[in-house]
Amino acid sequence: MTVVAMGMPAVRTGQPSLDGRPDTPLLLDRYGRIGRDLRVSITEKCSLRCTYCMPEEGLPPIPADELLTAAEIVRLVTLAVRELGVHEVRFTGGEPLMRRDLEKIIAGCRAELPGTPLAMTTNGVGLEHRASKLAAAGLNRINVSLDTVDREGFAALTRRDRLDSVFAGIRAARRAGLTPIKVNAVLMRETLAGAGDLLRWCLDEGCDLRFIEEMPLDADHEWARANMITAAELLEVLGARFTLTETDRDDPSAPAERWLVDGGPATVGIIASVTRSFCSDCDRTRLTADGRLRSCLFSDQEYDIRAALRSHASDADIATLWRGAMWNKSAGHGIDAAGFVPPTRTMGAIGG
């Protein structure tokens, strides 16, 4: 198995430059942004094969000894919150439900960080069997990836006929108190006509729906800006069925622009990552399943925090590495640049 086959960039070694960095414990970058939202991918495995995320055969497996262990994840999450100023933690994949020790990871983080919001992004397949256990372990809420409520369309997009399992998982999560439940839908040409049906379903089920512009992170490298659905197109489609009234963002770092639906209180959000970039307000820092620090979804600049952990580095040394990685965060994703090159890792290998 080669580095190219895994969809992985070359990893930076050594200590990233801290030149010019102010003396602060926070995850500050050169543009004044502070990383407060930690995304932790815990696996590359997934139970679906969404065309915008995974190749049909799935990603090559990460060897077990290269995955961060539950104890390592708990240590890094605890460090991020206590020493680096992280306010919120979200577990992602792949599909995090593919980790058998997911409840152990959640419980370990909850024990160390009783007041920190812990969330998870999932496709919902199999969630009905674990929602109550995850809530008992300390998980606060979930985001569910669901692009259509049309069964045939779902099967074509995900290459799996599992829509009923997703519905069951969402309802089990609501019963377990994992709320508010947010549904994330990637905007695609083949699902645009059903966007209103998806919104109606979410309104009926008490879920907050957010549409996301498709980004150039697909494994098949078929993304083209000319083919993507923009926020403006979606608003036109939804506006034919619902009355939408734009509202202000409560948090400028929150990626979703929101509209009241039929006067509210329910809303629908749009995360226009491509056409209405929010890079200037980005507050995210990322940890991949194989233990790499990644400051930006679209940057191939990574630092090996797993190696530091396993060479018995102190918490202070790891914190310095993390601060340096974030200090060197790029200004933006650069999709609009003439020479833009998509990152080597796909979405499934990075984590949402």
Side-chain angles (χ1 to χ4, degrees):
M1 186 180 300
T2 68
V3 172
V4 173
M6 280 295 296
M8 294 171 59
V11 179
R12 301 291 181 95
T13 58
Q15 174 63 47
S17 173
L18 294 168
D19 291 348
R21 186 182 184 278
D23 184 13
T24 173
L26 303 179
L27 294 175
L28 179 71
D29 68 32
R30 297 176 187 271
Y31 304 94
R33 300 165 299 190
I34 297 175
R36 301 189 187 278
D37 183 345
L38 172 59
R39 302 298 170 98
V40 184
S41 174
I42 62 174
T43 182
E44 85 295 350
K45 295 180 175 61
C46 191
S47 48
L48 300 179
R49 296 290 185 269
C50 298
T51 57
Y52 54 80
C53 180
M54 286 266 185
E56 187 169 3
E57 67 277 10
L59 293 172
I62 298 175
D65 62 349
E66 294 181 13
L67 278 174
L68 290 177
T69 67
E72 289 170 336
I73 293 170
V74 171
R75 179 184 174 187
L76 290 173
V77 169
T78 301
L79 173 66
V81 174
R82 290 182 179 171
E83 304 296 333
L84 302 175
V86 164
H87 289 177
E88 181 176 356
V89 180
R90 175 175 299 281
F91 299 98
T92 71
E95 171 49 53
L97 290 171
M98 300 295 283
R99 283 275 302 236
R100 294 182 178 180
D101 58 355
L102 174 59
E103 288 84 354
K104 181 179 179 181
I105 293 169
I106 300 295
C109 291
R110 177 56 67 220
E112 294 292 336
L113 306 166
T116 300
L118 301 178
M120 180 179 76
T121 295
T122 174
N123 62 33
V125 175
L127 180 60
E128 61 181 305
H129 306 298
R130 299 175 72 177
S132 60
K133 294 178 182 178
L134 289 168
L139 189 68
N140 296 114
R141 64 180 185 84
I142 61 165
N143 284 14
V144 180
S145 299
L146 175 62
D147 304 307
T148 178
V149 290
D150 176 76
R151 184 169 180 173
E152 290 185 4
F154 180 92
L157 185 62
T158 67
R159 304 180 177 116
R160 300 290 188 274
D161 184 10
R162 302 301 305 277
L163 183 59
D164 289 343
S165 181
V166 178
F167 288 163
I170 289 174
R171 290 162 182 157
R174 185 173 60 244
R175 291 193 298 271
L178 297 174
T179 56
I181 298 172
K182 295 183 179 179
V183 169
N184 294 337
V186 174
L187 278 170
M188 303 189 75
R189 187 68 58 186
E190 52 265 49
T191 59
L192 180 60
D197 292 335
L198 177 59
L199 177 54
R200 182 72 267 165
W201 187 89
C202 287
L203 293 173
D204 292 343
E205 294 288 336
C207 299
D208 296 333
L209 175 60
R210 304 185 304 174
F211 289 94
I212 305 173
E213 287 183 343
E214 187 182 6
M215 295 176 284
L217 294 166
D218 60 304
D220 296 329
H221 304 293
E222 294 181 351
W223 181 92
R225 180 159 188 156
N227 296 331
M228 64 174 286
I229 303 297
T230 65
E233 287 181 85
L234 173 65
L235 289 172
E236 183 177 355
V237 170
L238 295 180
R241 186 166 171 182
F242 304 93
T243 300
L244 304 178
T245 307
E246 190 168 7
T247 65
D248 294 330
R249 297 188 193 189
D250 297 328
D251 178 0
S253 296
E257 299 175 75
R258 295 186 305 139
W259 281 259
L260 292 172
V261 180
D262 293 337
T267 63
V268 62
I270 300 178
I271 301 176
S273 307
V274 178
T275 63
R276 304 181 188 183
S277 169
F278 48 87
C279 294
S280 62
D281 294 313
C282 179
D283 67 345
R284 293 179 183 173
T285 183
R286 297 177 182 275
L287 184 63
T288 66
D290 53 347
R292 310 295 195 239
L293 287 172
R294 193 177 180 99
S295 62
C296 173
L297 190 62
F298 286 89
S299 173
D300 276 335
Q301 179 173 279
E302 297 184 351
Y303 293 90
D304 192 347
I305 202 168
R306 186 190 72 214
L309 279 172
R310 296 181 182 179
S311 62
H312 308 293
S314 67
D315 282 358
D317 290 337
I318 293 171
T320 299
L321 173 64
W322 207 325
R323 293 183 186 114
M326 290 300 290
W327 178 241
N328 290 281
K329 182 175 181 172
S330 57
H333 54 47
I335 293 176
D336 289 329
F340 172 74
V341 177
T344 304
R345 286 192 194 250
T346 65
M347 177 64 85
I350 297 170

PDB file of all heavy atoms in Angstrom, residues 37 39 182 210 249-258 270-271 278 281-284:
ATOM      1  N   ASP A  37     -12.882  24.897  17.754  1.00  0.00           N
ATOM      2  CA  ASP A  37     -13.771  23.800  17.368  1.00  0.00           C
ATOM      3  C   ASP A  37     -12.902  22.654  16.856  1.00  0.00           C
ATOM      4  O   ASP A  37     -12.306  22.748  15.786  1.00  0.00           O
ATOM      5  CB  ASP A  37     -14.736  24.292  16.287  1.00  0.00           C
ATOM      6  CG  ASP A  37     -15.754  23.248  15.855  1.00  0.00           C
ATOM      7  OD1 ASP A  37     -15.559  22.054  16.166  1.00  0.00           O
ATOM      8  OD2 ASP A  37     -16.726  23.613  15.191  1.00  0.00           O
ATOM      9  N   ARG A  39     -12.339  18.937  15.394  1.00  0.00           N
ATOM     10  CA  ARG A  39     -12.926  17.816  14.670  1.00  0.00           C
ATOM     11  C   ARG A  39     -11.971  16.627  14.779  1.00  0.00           C
ATOM     12  O   ARG A  39     -10.801  16.740  14.378  1.00  0.00           O
ATOM     13  CB  ARG A  39     -13.158  18.176  13.203  1.00  0.00           C
ATOM     14  CG  ARG A  39     -14.060  19.405  13.012  1.00  0.00           C
ATOM     15  CD  ARG A  39     -15.443  19.141  13.591  1.00  0.00           C
ATOM     16  NE  ARG A  39     -16.272  20.322  13.656  1.00  0.00           N
ATOM     17  CZ  ARG A  39     -17.196  20.645  12.763  1.00  0.00           C
ATOM     18  NH1 ARG A  39     -17.378  19.869  11.705  1.00  0.00           N
ATOM     19  NH2 ARG A  39     -17.933  21.716  12.921  1.00  0.00           N
ATOM     20  N   LYS A 182     -29.166  17.814  13.842  1.00  0.00           N
ATOM     21  CA  LYS A 182     -28.967  18.558  12.604  1.00  0.00           C
ATOM     22  C   LYS A 182     -28.762  17.578  11.457  1.00  0.00           C
ATOM     23  O   LYS A 182     -28.016  16.601  11.598  1.00  0.00           O
ATOM     24  CB  LYS A 182     -27.764  19.494  12.722  1.00  0.00           C
ATOM     25  CG  LYS A 182     -27.961  20.608  13.749  1.00  0.00           C
ATOM     26  CD  LYS A 182     -26.775  21.550  13.784  1.00  0.00           C
ATOM     27  CE  LYS A 182     -27.004  22.667  14.792  1.00  0.00           C
ATOM     28  NZ  LYS A 182     -25.843  23.590  14.854  1.00  0.00           N
ATOM     29  N   ARG A 210     -29.524  21.553   7.125  1.00  0.00           N
ATOM     30  CA  ARG A 210     -28.522  22.447   6.547  1.00  0.00           C
ATOM     31  C   ARG A 210     -28.015  21.827   5.248  1.00  0.00           C
ATOM     32  O   ARG A 210     -27.571  20.677   5.236  1.00  0.00           O
ATOM     33  CB  ARG A 210     -27.348  22.666   7.512  1.00  0.00           C
ATOM     34  CG  ARG A 210     -27.764  23.188   8.870  1.00  0.00           C
ATOM     35  CD  ARG A 210     -26.596  23.507   9.757  1.00  0.00           C
ATOM     36  NE  ARG A 210     -25.715  22.368   9.918  1.00  0.00           N
ATOM     37  CZ  ARG A 210     -24.550  22.419  10.560  1.00  0.00           C
ATOM     38  NH1 ARG A 210     -24.131  23.549  11.080  1.00  0.00           N
ATOM     39  NH2 ARG A 210     -23.805  21.347  10.679  1.00  0.00           N
ATOM     40  N   ARG A 249     -26.654  35.495  11.670  1.00  0.00           N
ATOM     41  CA  ARG A 249     -25.943  34.416  12.341  1.00  0.00           C
ATOM     42  C   ARG A 249     -25.760  34.771  13.815  1.00  0.00           C
ATOM     43  O   ARG A 249     -25.367  35.887  14.155  1.00  0.00           O
ATOM     44  CB  ARG A 249     -24.566  34.202  11.716  1.00  0.00           C
ATOM     45  CG  ARG A 249     -24.597  33.761  10.267  1.00  0.00           C
ATOM     46  CD  ARG A 249     -23.201  33.376   9.806  1.00  0.00           C
ATOM     47  NE  ARG A 249     -23.143  33.247   8.357  1.00  0.00           N
ATOM     48  CZ  ARG A 249     -22.101  32.752   7.698  1.00  0.00           C
ATOM     49  NH1 ARG A 249     -21.032  32.358   8.355  1.00  0.00           N
ATOM     50  NH2 ARG A 249     -22.113  32.660   6.375  1.00  0.00           N
ATOM     51  N   ASP A 250     -26.028  33.822  14.701  1.00  0.00           N
ATOM     52  CA  ASP A 250     -25.776  34.043  16.119  1.00  0.00           C
ATOM     53  C   ASP A 250     -24.284  34.062  16.412  1.00  0.00           C
ATOM     54  O   ASP A 250     -23.814  34.781  17.288  1.00  0.00           O
ATOM     55  CB  ASP A 250     -26.445  32.938  16.959  1.00  0.00           C
ATOM     56  CG  ASP A 250     -27.953  32.942  16.822  1.00  0.00           C
ATOM     57  OD1 ASP A 250     -28.517  34.038  16.631  1.00  0.00           O
ATOM     58  OD2 ASP A 250     -28.559  31.864  16.898  1.00  0.00           O
ATOM     59  N   ASP A 251     -23.535  33.272  15.671  1.00  0.00           N
ATOM     60  CA  ASP A 251     -22.093  33.145  15.856  1.00  0.00           C
ATOM     61  C   ASP A 251     -21.423  33.370  14.510  1.00  0.00           C
ATOM     62  O   ASP A 251     -21.678  32.638  13.558  1.00  0.00           O
ATOM     63  CB  ASP A 251     -21.764  31.745  16.393  1.00  0.00           C
ATOM     64  CG  ASP A 251     -20.270  31.497  16.563  1.00  0.00           C
ATOM     65  OD1 ASP A 251     -19.469  32.403  16.274  1.00  0.00           O
ATOM     66  OD2 ASP A 251     -19.913  30.373  16.980  1.00  0.00           O
ATOM     67  N   PRO A 252     -20.549  34.399  14.395  1.00  0.00           N
ATOM     68  CA  PRO A 252     -19.912  34.660  13.101  1.00  0.00           C
ATOM     69  C   PRO A 252     -19.040  33.521  12.607  1.00  0.00           C
ATOM     70  O   PRO A 252     -18.762  33.422  11.405  1.00  0.00           O
ATOM     71  CB  PRO A 252     -19.080  35.926  13.374  1.00  0.00           C
ATOM     72  CG  PRO A 252     -18.907  35.981  14.859  1.00  0.00           C
ATOM     73  CD  PRO A 252     -20.143  35.374  15.429  1.00  0.00           C
ATOM     74  N   SER A 253     -18.603  32.627  13.507  1.00  0.00           N
ATOM     75  CA  SER A 253     -17.793  31.480  13.093  1.00  0.00           C
ATOM     76  C   SER A 253     -18.651  30.314  12.609  1.00  0.00           C
ATOM     77  O   SER A 253     -18.131  29.371  12.035  1.00  0.00           O
ATOM     78  CB  SER A 253     -16.902  31.013  14.259  1.00  0.00           C
ATOM     79  OG  SER A 253     -15.974  32.002  14.623  1.00  0.00           O
ATOM     80  N   ALA A 254     -19.949  30.374  12.867  1.00  0.00           N
ATOM     81  CA  ALA A 254     -20.834  29.310  12.402  1.00  0.00           C
ATOM     82  C   ALA A 254     -20.930  29.380  10.884  1.00  0.00           C
ATOM     83  O   ALA A 254     -21.168  30.445  10.317  1.00  0.00           O
ATOM     84  CB  ALA A 254     -22.213  29.462  13.032  1.00  0.00           C
ATOM     85  N   PRO A 255     -20.753  28.251  10.196  1.00  0.00           N
ATOM     86  CA  PRO A 255     -20.688  28.290   8.730  1.00  0.00           C
ATOM     87  C   PRO A 255     -22.015  28.468   8.030  1.00  0.00           C
ATOM     88  O   PRO A 255     -22.048  28.854   6.868  1.00  0.00           O
ATOM     89  CB  PRO A 255     -20.074  26.928   8.382  1.00  0.00           C
ATOM     90  CG  PRO A 255     -20.475  26.042   9.518  1.00  0.00           C
ATOM     91  CD  PRO A 255     -20.466  26.916  10.741  1.00  0.00           C
ATOM     92  N   ALA A 256     -23.120  28.191   8.701  1.00  0.00           N
ATOM     93  CA  ALA A 256     -24.415  28.181   8.021  1.00  0.00           C
ATOM     94  C   ALA A 256     -25.095  29.547   8.061  1.00  0.00           C
ATOM     95  O   ALA A 256     -25.222  30.159   9.117  1.00  0.00           O
ATOM     96  CB  ALA A 256     -25.326  27.133   8.640  1.00  0.00           C
ATOM     97  N   GLU A 257     -25.529  30.012   6.893  1.00  0.00           N
ATOM     98  CA  GLU A 257     -26.476  31.114   6.823  1.00  0.00           C
ATOM     99  C   GLU A 257     -27.862  30.511   6.987  1.00  0.00           C
ATOM    100  O   GLU A 257     -28.143  29.430   6.464  1.00  0.00           O
ATOM    101  CB  GLU A 257     -26.363  31.826   5.481  1.00  0.00           C
ATOM    102  CG  GLU A 257     -24.985  32.428   5.224  1.00  0.00           C
ATOM    103  CD  GLU A 257     -24.874  33.016   3.829  1.00  0.00           C
ATOM    104  OE1 GLU A 257     -25.433  34.099   3.592  1.00  0.00           O
ATOM    105  OE2 GLU A 257     -24.233  32.361   2.982  1.00  0.00           O
ATOM    106  N   ARG A 258     -28.764  31.207   7.691  1.00  0.00           N
ATOM    107  CA  ARG A 258     -30.043  30.586   8.045  1.00  0.00           C
ATOM    108  C   ARG A 258     -31.217  31.412   7.548  1.00  0.00           C
ATOM    109  O   ARG A 258     -31.168  32.636   7.492  1.00  0.00           O
ATOM    110  CB  ARG A 258     -30.144  30.409   9.563  1.00  0.00           C
ATOM    111  CG  ARG A 258     -29.117  29.440  10.137  1.00  0.00           C
ATOM    112  CD  ARG A 258     -29.361  29.212  11.613  1.00  0.00           C
ATOM    113  NE  ARG A 258     -29.388  30.476  12.343  1.00  0.00           N
ATOM    114  CZ  ARG A 258     -30.249  30.759  13.316  1.00  0.00           C
ATOM    115  NH1 ARG A 258     -31.186  29.881  13.644  1.00  0.00           N
ATOM    116  NH2 ARG A 258     -30.197  31.912  13.951  1.00  0.00           N
ATOM    117  N   ILE A 270     -27.832  27.084   4.980  1.00  0.00           N
ATOM    118  CA  ILE A 270     -27.018  26.800   3.800  1.00  0.00           C
ATOM    119  C   ILE A 270     -25.567  27.097   4.146  1.00  0.00           C
ATOM    120  O   ILE A 270     -25.242  28.195   4.596  1.00  0.00           O
ATOM    121  CB  ILE A 270     -27.444  27.637   2.587  1.00  0.00           C
ATOM    122  CG1 ILE A 270     -28.902  27.349   2.214  1.00  0.00           C
ATOM    123  CG2 ILE A 270     -26.533  27.344   1.390  1.00  0.00           C
ATOM    124  CD1 ILE A 270     -29.414  28.188   1.052  1.00  0.00           C
ATOM    125  N   ILE A 271     -24.731  26.093   3.956  1.00  0.00           N
ATOM    126  CA  ILE A 271     -23.286  26.265   4.150  1.00  0.00           C
ATOM    127  C   ILE A 271     -22.677  26.380   2.762  1.00  0.00           C
ATOM    128  O   ILE A 271     -22.464  25.392   2.070  1.00  0.00           O
ATOM    129  CB  ILE A 271     -22.686  25.084   4.934  1.00  0.00           C
ATOM    130  CG1 ILE A 271     -23.358  24.967   6.310  1.00  0.00           C
ATOM    131  CG2 ILE A 271     -21.178  25.260   5.094  1.00  0.00           C
ATOM    132  CD1 ILE A 271     -22.895  23.785   7.123  1.00  0.00           C
ATOM    133  N   PHE A 278     -16.400  31.257   4.129  1.00  0.00           N
ATOM    134  CA  PHE A 278     -16.336  31.805   5.484  1.00  0.00           C
ATOM    135  C   PHE A 278     -14.960  31.565   6.109  1.00  0.00           C
ATOM    136  O   PHE A 278     -14.826  31.507   7.337  1.00  0.00           O
ATOM    137  CB  PHE A 278     -17.434  31.193   6.362  1.00  0.00           C
ATOM    138  CG  PHE A 278     -17.528  29.693   6.278  1.00  0.00           C
ATOM    139  CD1 PHE A 278     -16.763  28.875   7.091  1.00  0.00           C
ATOM    140  CD2 PHE A 278     -18.380  29.107   5.358  1.00  0.00           C
ATOM    141  CE1 PHE A 278     -16.847  27.499   6.995  1.00  0.00           C
ATOM    142  CE2 PHE A 278     -18.479  27.715   5.262  1.00  0.00           C
ATOM    143  CZ  PHE A 278     -17.716  26.916   6.084  1.00  0.00           C
ATOM    144  N   ASP A 281     -13.491  33.548   9.075  1.00  0.00           N
ATOM    145  CA  ASP A 281     -14.015  33.336  10.417  1.00  0.00           C
ATOM    146  C   ASP A 281     -13.844  31.900  10.898  1.00  0.00           C
ATOM    147  O   ASP A 281     -14.385  31.530  11.941  1.00  0.00           O
ATOM    148  CB  ASP A 281     -15.506  33.693  10.461  1.00  0.00           C
ATOM    149  CG  ASP A 281     -15.765  35.168  10.243  1.00  0.00           C
ATOM    150  OD1 ASP A 281     -15.080  35.980  10.884  1.00  0.00           O
ATOM    151  OD2 ASP A 281     -16.636  35.509   9.422  1.00  0.00           O
ATOM    152  N   CYS A 282     -13.091  31.093  10.169  1.00  0.00           N
ATOM    153  CA  CYS A 282     -12.946  29.680  10.509  1.00  0.00           C
ATOM    154  C   CYS A 282     -12.269  29.508  11.870  1.00  0.00           C
ATOM    155  O   CYS A 282     -11.235  30.111  12.144  1.00  0.00           O
ATOM    156  CB  CYS A 282     -12.135  28.957   9.434  1.00  0.00           C
ATOM    157  SG  CYS A 282     -11.874  27.204   9.777  1.00  0.00           S
ATOM    158  N   ASP A 283     -12.853  28.655  12.712  1.00  0.00           N
ATOM    159  CA  ASP A 283     -12.282  28.404  14.042  1.00  0.00           C
ATOM    160  C   ASP A 283     -12.020  26.915  14.268  1.00  0.00           C
ATOM    161  O   ASP A 283     -11.986  26.453  15.395  1.00  0.00           O
ATOM    162  CB  ASP A 283     -13.200  28.952  15.133  1.00  0.00           C
ATOM    163  CG  ASP A 283     -14.535  28.214  15.229  1.00  0.00           C
ATOM    164  OD1 ASP A 283     -14.870  27.464  14.276  1.00  0.00           O
ATOM    165  OD2 ASP A 283     -15.233  28.381  16.237  1.00  0.00           O
ATOM    166  N   ARG A 284     -11.787  26.161  13.181  1.00  0.00           N
ATOM    167  CA  ARG A 284     -11.642  24.716  13.307  1.00  0.00           C
ATOM    168  C   ARG A 284     -10.180  24.271  13.308  1.00  0.00           C
ATOM    169  O   ARG A 284      -9.335  24.847  12.632  1.00  0.00           O
ATOM    170  CB  ARG A 284     -12.385  24.013  12.175  1.00  0.00           C
ATOM    171  CG  ARG A 284     -13.881  24.198  12.290  1.00  0.00           C
ATOM    172  CD  ARG A 284     -14.644  23.542  11.181  1.00  0.00           C
ATOM    173  NE  ARG A 284     -16.074  23.814  11.321  1.00  0.00           N
ATOM    174  CZ  ARG A 284     -16.987  23.480  10.434  1.00  0.00           C
ATOM    175  NH1 ARG A 284     -16.635  22.856   9.338  1.00  0.00           N
ATOM    176  NH2 ARG A 284     -18.253  23.766  10.645  1.00  0.00           N
TER     177      ARG A 284
END
